[in-house]
Amino acid sequence: MSARPNAAATTAETAASDACCTAPLPVLGRDVTVPLVTGGEVTYAALDYAASAPALQRVWDDVAAYAPYYGSVHRGAGYLSQLSTDLFEQSRVTVAEFLDCREGDQVVFTRSTTDSLNLLAQVVPADCQVFVFETEHHASLLPWRDAQVTYLNAPRTPAQAVETLERALADRDPYGPALVCVTGASNVTGELWPVRELAAAAHAHGARIVLDAAQLAPHHPVSVRELDVDWVAFSGHKLYAPFGSGVLAGRADWLQDAEPYLAGGGASRTVARRADGGVDVQWHTTAARHEAGSPNVIGVYSIASACKALTEAGFDTLVARERHLIDTVRAGLAEVPQVRVLSLFGDDAPRVGVISFVVDGWNSSHFAAALSAEYGIGVRDGLFCAHPLVRTLLGSDAQDPGECGAPEPAAPGERSLNAIRVSFGAGTPDEHVERFVGAVKELVRDGAQWKYRTEDGRCVPDRG
């Protein structure tokens, strides 16, 4: 008698099959062609989403439709100003819904994830201790200049991350206010971090937690409620809305109690001269407190448009399709013995479409330059603004050079002190990742077809 098929396995197989047939979301620039150094042109394969994702066509269309109606926000009685103000504030509601914020949470619009975390760094209590893993992007690692910071060593499993944090929080002295800053998905390895468990550990020890969702929000749903994080930060330019805005969303109390991030119009409710010649200022207690100056309404609206587009597309569908792309890339790289994929948590760790690797016998800058010049593929090389993490993964010392350049291949077996990162998302067609895998195999097997040299620290084709 034949066994009944496992329902979960059947569902997974169906989802994988459907993912192969699901079209990518339309993005701006999808038909752009670029010249090859070897002759001819090819459609550009944008595989650097982790740095900046292309604008969704839907976002571009929404921005273009609104642009003729642009007006000053919160500043005018005219129709366009009122329309723009409504659009701006409704965008705040849309982002709060996208993040599943709690009642009373504030959504503050900033310039980027970096700006958001620097804002939070300015509002933490004076005696607050900050805990951050060395694995973080510099946007999370560096803003805490006025706080006592504890840098935690890179964990090798999600469970070890939770244990490391619990031990550090329990041992803190004095046992006062504390903030944990953690990524949702690594910008180097793409691996998902145990955010919910880390939030529970933080709260169990009287600490708060901020989630850097720059690499998570474009790929997976982010629920402030379910993850139980106190704040979340992300950038529009990674969320298919590259128009110069970001978000900090979460608890209002520290934001309300602190001095404004920037002082100026919009942050102030009233300003009056005093008898002694000075001025008295009443600051807003809403998100406007930290949004001084004329806001980037187009950037804010583009984020709201992207939030709606991703929600309507359905994250279940987007995640399934991206998993198919991840599997394609990882399977292809696994067939090349000279390639070593960088990982903290191991091959089976869940991840987003961000994969970093090194190639034996190649400087990573040389390899990335050849992918671009000879195949029309855009990837990134270097240390990815996560120097401590990449150095840990490469096994290098802090003093070892990690600059780009050095076009001559390294000696056989010599390790490269920078890495190559390929990243993709909702707008990536199958052909782009298939071309990438084929190019990697061809470069490793046959070498580059062109000569390269170092120029201003970058490896570039030698056209002389």
Side-chain angles (χ1 to χ4, degrees):
M1 188 167 93
S2 62
R4 181 182 178 186
N6 180 277
T10 302
T11 302
E13 290 170 4
T14 302
S17 176
D18 291 345
C20 297
C21 303
T22 303
L25 297 185
V27 293
L28 211 61
R30 59 189 177 275
D31 298 323
V32 168
T33 60
V34 294
L36 301 180
V37 72
T38 51
E41 292 189 344
V42 67
T43 302
Y44 184 64
L47 296 178
D48 195 15
Y49 276 45
S52 278
L56 287 174
Q57 186 68 52
R58 155 80 174 271
V59 171
W60 179 257
D61 292 344
D62 284 349
V63 167
Y66 161 67
Y69 299 92
Y70 172 81
S72 58
V73 174
H74 302 148
R75 304 282 201 283
Y79 179 81
L80 297 191
S81 289
Q82 293 182 37
L83 185 149
S84 295
T85 297
D86 289 344
L87 193 76
F88 184 80
E89 293 302 334
Q90 185 55 47
S91 295
R92 203 186 302 275
V93 174
T94 298
V95 171
E97 292 173 348
F98 179 75
L99 296 174
D100 192 22
C101 288
R102 300 162 294 245
E103 184 177 355
D105 282 348
Q106 289 188 350
V107 174
V108 182
F109 290 118
T110 65
R111 294 174 297 177
S112 61
T113 306
T114 300
D115 197 35
S116 295
L117 293 172
N118 273 270
L119 162 57
L120 188 61
Q122 294 299 309
V123 307
V124 297
D127 56 346
C128 184
Q129 299 179 60
V130 176
F131 295 82
V132 56
F133 287 93
E134 68 171 355
T135 48
E136 295 293 319
H137 186 281
H138 294 170
S140 299
L141 202 66
L142 302 180
W144 322 102
R145 290 172 289 182
D146 296 327
Q148 177 184 334
V149 185
T150 298
Y151 296 103
L152 307 174
N153 292 335
R156 286 299 181 170
T157 66
Q160 188 180 56
V162 177
E163 293 167 3
T164 299
L165 179 62
E166 286 183 325
R167 186 164 53 251
L169 290 173
D171 293 344
R172 73 183 187 272
D173 184 25
Y175 197 87
L179 176 68
V180 177
C181 183
V182 68
T183 188
S186 171
N187 78 302
V188 176
T189 68
E191 292 162 315
L192 300 180
W193 277 63
V195 177
R196 190 197 310 265
E197 292 80 1
L198 291 168
H203 293 152
H205 291 279
R208 296 189 179 190
I209 185 168
V210 56
L211 169 64
D212 174 356
Q215 300 295 341
L216 183 63
H219 304 274
H220 285 258
V222 175
S223 170
V224 170
R225 293 176 193 265
E226 290 185 10
L227 296 174
D228 198 23
V229 293
D230 298 283
W231 294 277
V232 59
F234 69 87
S235 294
H237 72 97
K238 289 181 169 60
L239 196 77
Y240 310 101
F243 294 91
S245 285
V247 169
L248 176 67
R251 300 198 180 278
D253 53 351
W254 284 7
L255 295 168
Q256 292 173 339
D257 292 342
E259 290 293 304
Y261 182 44
L262 297 174
S268 56
R269 293 182 61 192
T270 64
V271 180
R273 290 294 301 272
R274 296 194 306 263
D276 64 4
V279 294
D280 285 325
V281 184
Q282 288 187 339
W283 303 105
H284 280 294
T285 57
T286 63
R289 184 183 189 90
H290 299 290
E291 294 176 346
S294 295
N296 179 3
V297 60
I298 287 181
V300 165
Y301 179 48
S302 71
I303 288 179
S305 174
C307 290
K308 289 181 180 179
L310 293 174
T311 301
E312 292 169 8
F315 271 106
D316 286 347
T317 299
L318 296 176
V319 169
R321 185 175 187 283
E322 186 173 300
R323 189 175 296 120
H324 160 68
L325 297 177
I326 293 170
D327 291 345
T328 299
V329 173
R330 288 179 60 83
L333 294 180
E335 295 174 356
V336 185
Q338 295 88 343
V339 169
R340 177 167 71 91
V341 174
L342 305 184
S343 175
L344 270 177
F345 301 151
D347 291 342
D348 296 331
R351 65 192 70 233
V352 300
V354 179
I355 299 169
S356 296
F357 63 98
V358 292
V359 182
D360 287 345
W362 284 82
N363 176 275
S364 293
S365 181
H366 184 197
F367 201 90
L371 286 173
S372 175
E374 300 178 26
Y375 298 91
I377 298 170
V379 297
R380 185 157 292 248
D381 64 277
L383 300 176
F384 317 124
C385 291
H387 294 191
L389 171 57
V390 178
R391 291 184 183 282
T392 294
L393 295 173
L394 294 178
S396 68
D397 296 326
Q399 292 76 27
D400 287 338
E403 291 81 5
C404 302
E408 297 79 15
E414 181 179 341
R415 80 182 170 214
S416 176
L417 295 181
N418 48 18
I420 306 150
R421 185 181 70 189
V422 56
S423 54
F424 39 86
T428 305
D430 286 28
E431 188 275 329
H432 287 186
V433 298
E434 291 165 357
R435 191 197 318 172
F436 166 77
V437 169
V440 170
K441 293 179 178 179
E442 195 169 278
L443 282 172
V444 171
R445 183 186 67 240
D446 302 332
Q449 300 179 53
W450 204 263
K451 291 184 178 181
Y452 294 81
R453 61 186 175 84
T454 300
E455 182 178 290
D456 296 329
R458 296 292 308 167
C459 186
V460 298
D462 188 347
R463 303 177 186 275

